[in-house]
Amino acid sequence: MSGTDETQIVTLASVPGQGKTTTALLLERHFRGQGMRVACLQMNKGQYDVAHYLANGCDHYTIPLEATKNRVAFGAWVPRGYDLCTFEVTCPYSPFGAPYLSPLERYNEIVAFDSSQDWRTCVRNRMKRYWKQRPKDPEIDIFALWDMVHAKEVQRVVTKTPGALAGPCVDTALSLRHPEQFAYDTIKPRMTLPRSDASAMAVGAFPAEFWSIFPRLRWYRFDYASFLEEYRHGKCDVAIIGACLNERLKIRDRPGIRTVFCYQPSVYHNLARRPRDLPLKDDFREIMSAIRDRPVGGPICTDGSAFSGYNNRFWTYQPYPDREMIWQEENIVFCNGWIMPQYLIRDGFLEVA
């Protein structure tokens, strides 16, 4: 850490499919090889991508939407004690991606080699697929936030290149070129997580902050069969049933573990997921203004719209609209979405001695 308690942050932003996560992992490996402690930050994407970071032994942290209000709020979710942070932002041209760039002055735009000659067309096509725009929906302004995002200091990083380029890039052999040319910003970290000696086990995708809280945690990756074999015996203090894409997966056992955090409530309950074909009817700029100006937990978009799953007290996507964001049945705490451990501690569902 510097004398000003500020830490360098390398922000990587782009639409899906351009190589952000791969670039972040290569940067983490590069700087860790130089003896630096690196924290890998990511905007709240729920279960997606976190397993890639965990599998590579990275220290991963989720930045929630509420952290985008200003630099102080952002720093409250950045962990102390690291020399450098990488920060991955998906869809910076959307109302739920652009806010993450607001507290920062510069970032790196990740562009795949094949897309680099006609980047705006690539962005338009990717955005329409990402939001699953229906033919009967009113045409949305894909580039509503383009000028705002590009008003910052932007360094283009080209990925999937056939060889080395003059600027920062990642080639098809996954070689990181010219990392010194990436755009760097600074942030003042203010987050410290409590630590527990309790034994813990986990499976699937879960907020990696649990690993910081429970250093003795054993992760079974996505091997639910092996996890359940141990889970039935109930010999650990805390168990985490992480999320996966298999909605048909069911668990009958309710062992006597002190506390179970379940991020896939459908393993114990038959629940209806939020429809994926809701209309796109919100103005991107209005959502941005609501996120910036309204208290956390206030409505930020129209009920019944494609973004209405964020209208809850945590501003995190709520997959099962008919259930609370958190509810408890005996020793099992159900998390209806990517509920951060910090929220569980704050609301009394997670006690750390």
Side-chain angles (χ1 to χ4, degrees):
M1 303 279 282
S2 67
T4 60
D5 290 334
E6 288 193 332
T7 297
Q8 286 188 316
I9 182 170
V10 185
T11 301
L12 313 172
S14 192
V15 293
Q18 304 303 301
K20 293 184 303 302
T21 303
T22 297
T23 304
L25 292 173
L26 290 172
L27 281 168
E28 193 272 349
R29 185 186 307 167
H30 169 78
F31 288 112
R32 186 164 46 159
Q34 295 184 342
M36 300 174 69
R37 291 199 68 206
V38 183
C40 295
L41 316 179
Q42 193 175 28
M43 64 175 282
N44 190 349
K45 289 182 63 180
Q47 70 189 73
Y48 301 102
D49 292 338
V50 64
H52 295 298
Y53 288 96
L54 293 177
N56 281 275
C58 302
D59 292 350
H60 182 274
Y61 300 88
T62 295
I63 304 296
L65 191 60
E66 70 170 78
T68 67
K69 286 183 171 293
N70 51 59
R71 286 180 67 86
V72 174
F74 190 95
W77 289 88
V78 178
R80 297 175 184 266
Y82 290 91
D83 302 302
L84 181 136
C85 299
T86 66
F87 180 37
E88 185 182 349
V89 176
T90 297
C91 272
Y93 319 105
S94 76
F96 292 94
Y100 284 93
L101 298 180
S102 297
L104 305 170
E105 296 179 1
R106 57 190 65 87
Y107 72 96
N108 301 276
E109 188 167 44
I110 309 302
V111 180
F113 182 77
D114 290 343
S115 305
S116 58
Q117 297 304 312
D118 195 358
W119 181 231
R120 283 180 66 94
T121 298
C122 174
V123 168
R124 183 187 66 231
N125 294 339
R126 288 281 182 174
M127 288 280 285
K128 286 191 174 183
R129 288 202 297 270
Y130 190 73
W131 297 125
K132 300 178 178 63
Q133 188 172 12
R134 307 176 307 177
K136 63 181 179 180
D137 286 345
E139 187 70 19
I140 60 172
D141 183 1
I142 293 296
F143 297 111
L145 305 177
W146 179 275
D147 291 339
M148 185 202 77
V149 169
H150 282 89
K152 297 180 178 294
E153 184 179 326
V154 184
Q155 170 66 62
R156 175 173 286 197
V157 176
V158 184
T159 60
K160 308 177 187 180
T161 68
L165 303 179
C169 65
V170 175
D171 63 27
T172 53
L174 300 185
S175 296
L176 179 68
R177 310 280 186 171
H178 308 298
E180 72 284 353
Q181 295 185 29
F182 278 69
Y184 293 77
D185 209 324
T186 59
I187 198 72
K188 189 171 183 178
R190 295 170 50 225
M191 184 181 76
T192 302
L193 292 171
R195 293 212 168 207
S196 171
D197 290 331
S199 59
M201 59 186 296
V203 67
F206 60 95
E209 287 81 357
F210 276 108
W211 218 324
S212 296
I213 296 170
F214 300 105
R216 295 171 55 197
L217 185 147
R218 180 180 179 185
W219 182 41
Y220 286 77
R221 301 203 175 196
F222 288 86
D223 185 356
Y224 283 80
S226 297
F227 171 85
L228 289 174
E229 190 67 29
E230 187 70 23
Y231 180 67
R232 293 186 182 102
H233 299 305
K235 293 183 179 179
C236 68
D237 299 310
V238 175
I240 304 162
I241 301 173
C244 71
L245 298 178
N246 183 4
E247 284 288 313
R248 295 177 295 178
L249 177 67
K250 295 295 180 182
I251 298 176
R252 296 181 180 179
D253 305 280
R254 291 182 178 242
I257 296 172
R258 187 181 72 196
T259 308
V260 178
F261 296 99
C262 182
Y263 281 83
Q264 183 127 342
S266 61
V267 299
Y268 282 112
H269 295 282
N270 294 321
L271 302 170
R273 291 189 70 92
R274 186 176 299 276
R276 294 184 177 273
D277 60 347
L278 294 173
L280 287 163
K281 57 183 181 180
D282 292 283
D283 182 271
F284 282 10
R285 297 179 188 85
E286 291 180 0
I287 296 177
M288 286 276 294
S289 296
I291 293 170
R292 184 186 63 244
D293 299 332
R294 292 179 185 173
V296 177
I300 52 180
C301 49
T302 306
D303 286 340
S305 75
F307 306 117
S308 57
Y310 294 88
N311 283 342
N312 55 69
R313 63 192 180 103
F314 299 120
W315 281 358
T316 188
Y317 184 74
Q318 180 183 13
Y320 305 106
D322 297 329
R323 298 303 300 255
E324 300 174 29
M325 295 301 294
I326 308 174
W327 79 93
Q328 185 165 2
E329 298 173 7
E330 298 179 345
N331 64 331
I332 301 180
V333 177
F334 291 95
C335 297
N336 187 3
W338 203 250
I339 308 299
M340 303 296 294
Q342 295 93 318
Y343 295 144
L344 295 170
I345 293 171
R346 184 190 68 189
D347 289 3
F349 293 98
L350 172 56
E351 297 182 0
V352 181

